[in-house]
Amino acid sequence: PPLPFFFYFFGDHRYLLSFLTRRSSDLFALQYALGKLWAHWGIEPDTLLGHSIGEYAACCLAGVFSLEDALRMVRHRGQLMQSLPENGTMLSVETDEATILELLSDSQLQLSVAAVNTANSVVLSGLTRTVEQVSELLKARSVACTRLHVSDRKSTRLKLQSPVPIS
């Protein structure tokens, strides 16, 4: 069921993150509407960018593709994400990318580098069991890491195993 609009800004944020990733069309609509509202007020950006569903909203607002095409892509993306297994997660690690790549190359771990946020902040993704093993290994080496509270289907190799065809 839809949540009251104020919940998007004042609700339990962990629940909100999970809810919004499962309701990507709602998030897209909110972002697109805000962009149109700002344009109506005369606020015209020089550059647009976004993350995840925000990329679709930014591209649509920039005229890269039509609203209809954006909605179609967002719907297909939602179907693909919903079809993924629910056994993946992400881990934020306070170390450099080279250290992570060395760790991954020296092992049989099936993990991916999901993001390199800064010179000393890397996000890993993969199966929950494997992420937990790496977390323990890193903590034993005194490397700080934190499991992220995000939808468990995002940004992992699991996306490559989706059975839903894109038409």
Side-chain angles (χ1 to χ4, degrees):
L3 294 172
F5 186 74
F6 69 86
F7 188 85
Y8 286 97
F9 301 101
F10 303 110
D12 177 349
H13 296 293
R14 273 190 287 188
Y15 174 75
L16 179 62
L17 287 171
S18 175
F19 174 80
L20 290 178
T21 55
R22 287 176 171 76
R23 302 297 296 262
S24 53
S25 58
D26 293 348
L27 183 56
F28 171 83
L30 177 65
Q31 293 172 340
Y32 180 81
L34 283 172
K36 286 297 195 180
L37 178 63
W38 291 335
H40 177 75
W41 288 342
I43 302 169
E44 294 288 340
D46 293 327
T47 305
L48 290 169
L49 71 117
H51 171 72
S52 192
I53 287 296
E55 293 169 328
Y56 293 88
C59 286
C60 187
L61 289 164
V64 174
F65 37 73
S66 70
L67 176 59
E68 293 78 16
D69 287 341
L71 291 170
R72 195 173 302 110
M73 287 185 278
V74 167
R75 186 190 78 221
H76 281 297
R77 180 185 182 276
Q79 290 171 339
L80 288 169
M81 297 301 270
Q82 196 65 33
S83 72
L84 293 174
E86 295 190 32
N87 59 344
T89 193
M90 301 175 82
L91 184 73
S92 176
V93 183
E94 293 182 26
T95 192
D96 60 281
E97 182 181 17
T99 301
I100 292 296
L101 293 175
E102 182 180 327
L103 171 73
L104 296 179
S105 69
D106 289 345
S107 67
Q108 299 297 320
L109 300 171
Q110 294 294 311
L111 292 175
S112 301
V113 174
V116 179
N117 293 323
T118 67
N120 289 307
S121 175
V122 179
V123 178
L124 297 175
S125 64
L127 294 174
T128 302
R129 180 184 69 247
T130 307
V131 169
E132 289 170 351
Q133 291 171 345
V134 169
S135 176
E136 294 304 317
L137 175 69
L138 291 168
K139 288 177 181 176
R141 296 181 182 182
S142 299
V143 176
C145 52
T146 305
R147 188 163 163 189
L148 300 177
H149 297 284
V150 296
S151 170
D152 46 10
R153 300 174 186 197
K154 303 175 44 159
S155 303
T156 71
R157 293 175 184 225
L158 300 174
K159 285 199 285 192
L160 302 175
Q161 302 169 4
S162 176
V164 177
I166 297 177
S167 55

